[in-house]
């Protein structure tokens, strides 16, 4: 019997779902290299490879068989071929630009453990999709809002969430649509660097975000009385500001967010919050030219920088802080702890803080490979984001469950299944 790759689900799965990979028809204890590759929409190649030895029966199941040293990972890692994918091009991050098309994953079984490995024994293709059947993608150009709304199948109403990304700008949709697959109405909201929105991060007006909140609160398919906010990085401090000043927010989840306003002036009515100061002198640059910016920002508890601390004690919502303890973008754990202290000092409920050792800044939905370093728009050179690939991947899987459970609890009043803390 010729070797063949067996996948479950066979042809297509959602990107955030596990994929079972097995090889049958090998010789007893045969040594092989498994290689995974995919190209992003710009044509950049991502690859991972691992060395295995088949069982006495010629079977190889990645859920039961550990990878041997010498590849992209070792040990028992059923999803290692996906989370260990690395770009050929340095400082390149895997993102999904068009959520309506899947990523196509190529899997190959190659003979032996050589460098390069031997002849091709078997191959398979698998689609990693972003939209579950029936989920609707609705472009939103309403007033000044530039966004995309994802609605689950059916008439709803569904718990509503606004999703914000960081300083990369544009309109990333992939996290919003993956979340909509689980029964949420999710608005991916652009706020700069997109269509007719401001081209640069100079100043933001909270009225724009208020318009988006009201759009969701008035939508027939969005369940009231309040909506949720989900933000990563700069999107996190914008969500904190929205929760602090705007009505109708019931739950706010921050992924490596800041409790100080960062990078641009924030204005709302007659209120102005200046950006937290920083010093370029505190940036360390390695011999390879990669910057570590973790110490660049000033402390928002000291001197004039206290003006930048967002008054999150004004918020009438519940908070969840997701923290990568190896975040090298900024001090996420410090921000979460100070946010918690501020809330409790004003008699507010203690927020939930979930810390992940070994996780870096870009905590994405499950199975996105960790990006160790990439170009930073504001710094103008590649920066290190922190994280250790295996720990970071485990954090992404757990955080995704925690975020969904948090929103189910505070937007619908129903817990969703069981959630595990790492």
């Amino acid at each position: 019997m010729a070797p063949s790759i067996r996948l479950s689900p066979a042809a297509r799965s959602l990107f955030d779902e596990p994929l079972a990979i097995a090889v049958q028809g090998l010789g007893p204890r045969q040594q092989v290299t498994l290689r995974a590759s995919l190209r992003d929409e710009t044509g950049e190649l991502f690859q991972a490879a691992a060395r295995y030895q088949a069982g006495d029966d010629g079977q190889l199941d990645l859920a039961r068989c550990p990878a041997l040293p010498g590849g992209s990972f070792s040990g028992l890692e059923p999803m290692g071929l996906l989370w260990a994918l690395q770009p050929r091009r340095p400082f390149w991050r895997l993102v999904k630009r068009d959520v309506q098309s899947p990523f196509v994953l190529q899997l190959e079984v190659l003979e032996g453990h050589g460098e390069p490995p031997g002849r091709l024994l078997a191959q398979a293709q698998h689609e990693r999709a972003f939209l579950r059947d029936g989920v609707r993608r609705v472009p939103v150009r309403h007033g000044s809002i530039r966004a995309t709304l994802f609605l689950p199948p059916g008439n709803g109403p569904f718990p509503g969430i606004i999703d914000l990304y960081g300083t990369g700008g544009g309109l990333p949709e992939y996290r919003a649509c993956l979340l909509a697959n689980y029964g949420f109405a999710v608005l991916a909201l652009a706020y700069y660097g997109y269509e007719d929105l401001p081209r640069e991060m100079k100043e933001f007006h909270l009225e724009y975000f208020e318009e988006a909140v009201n759009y969701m609160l008035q939508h027939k398919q969005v369940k009231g009385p309040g909506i949720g906010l989900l933000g990563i990085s700069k999107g996190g401090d914008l969500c904190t500001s929205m929760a602090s000043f705007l009505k109708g927010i019931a739950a706010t989840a921050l992924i490596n967010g800041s409790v100080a306003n960062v990078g641009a002036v924030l204005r709302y009515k007659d209120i102005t919050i200046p950006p937290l100061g920083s010093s370029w002198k505190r940036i360390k640059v390695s011999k390879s030219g990669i910057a570590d910016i973790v110490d660049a920002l000033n402390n928002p508890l000291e001197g004039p920088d206290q003006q930048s601390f967002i008054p999150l004690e004004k918020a009438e919502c519940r908070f969840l802080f997701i923290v990568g303890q190896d975040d090298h973008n900024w001090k996420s754990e410090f921000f979460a702890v100070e946010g918690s202290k501020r809330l409790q000092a004003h008699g507010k409920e203690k927020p939930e803080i979930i810390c992940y050792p070994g996780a870096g800044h870009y905590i994405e939905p499950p199975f996105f490979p960790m990006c160790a370093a990439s170009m930073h728009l504001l710094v103008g050179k590649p920066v290190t984001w922190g994280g250790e690939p295996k720990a970071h991947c485990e954090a992404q899987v757990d955080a995704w469950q925690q975020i969904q459970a948090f929103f189910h609890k505070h937007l619908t009043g129903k817990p969703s299944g069981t959630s595990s803390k790492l």
Side-chain angles (χ1 to χ4, degrees), residues 232-250:
I232 185 169
S233 194
K234 173 61 193 172
D237 71 72
L238 284 168
C239 286
T240 307
S241 296
M242 290 164 75
S244 303
F245 292 107
L246 307 181
K247 302 259 183 291
I249 312 298

Side-chain angles (χ1 to χ4, degrees), residues 316-333:
E316 296 295 332
C317 71
R318 302 299 297 273
F319 283 97
L320 165 66
F321 289 89
I322 300 280
V323 171
Q325 287 181 303
D326 193 34
D327 183 352
H328 276 256
N329 180 69
W330 55 27
K331 295 174 176 157
S332 295
E333 187 171 10

Side-chain angles (χ1 to χ4, degrees), residues 255-267:
I255 303 168
N256 287 327
S258 161
V259 290
N261 179 45
V262 179
V265 175
L266 184 77
R267 300 189 194 282

Side-chain angles (χ1 to χ4, degrees), residues 6-8 17-22 34 36 50 52 61-67 73-84 105 107 128 367 390 393-394:
R6 194 174 70 242
L7 302 172
S8 177
E17 289 178 339
L19 175 64
I21 303 171
L34 266 59
Y52 286 97
D61 182 345
L62 271 56
R64 290 202 284 273
C65 187
F73 58 91
S74 60
L76 192 63
E77 297 294 342
M79 289 294 285
L81 285 169
L82 284 96
W83 63 249
L105 183 70
L107 292 161
R128 296 286 277 171
F367 313 123
K390 178 177 156 59
C393 171
E394 288 172 353

Side-chain angles (χ1 to χ4, degrees), residues 6 24 69 76 127 130 149 165 173 212 223 226 244 294 353 376:
R6 194 174 70 242
Q24 53 199 16
L76 192 63
E127 292 187 346
F130 285 76
L149 179 62
Y165 261 85
E173 297 180 354
K223 178 184 188 321
S244 303
V294 72
I353 301 178
H376 192 298

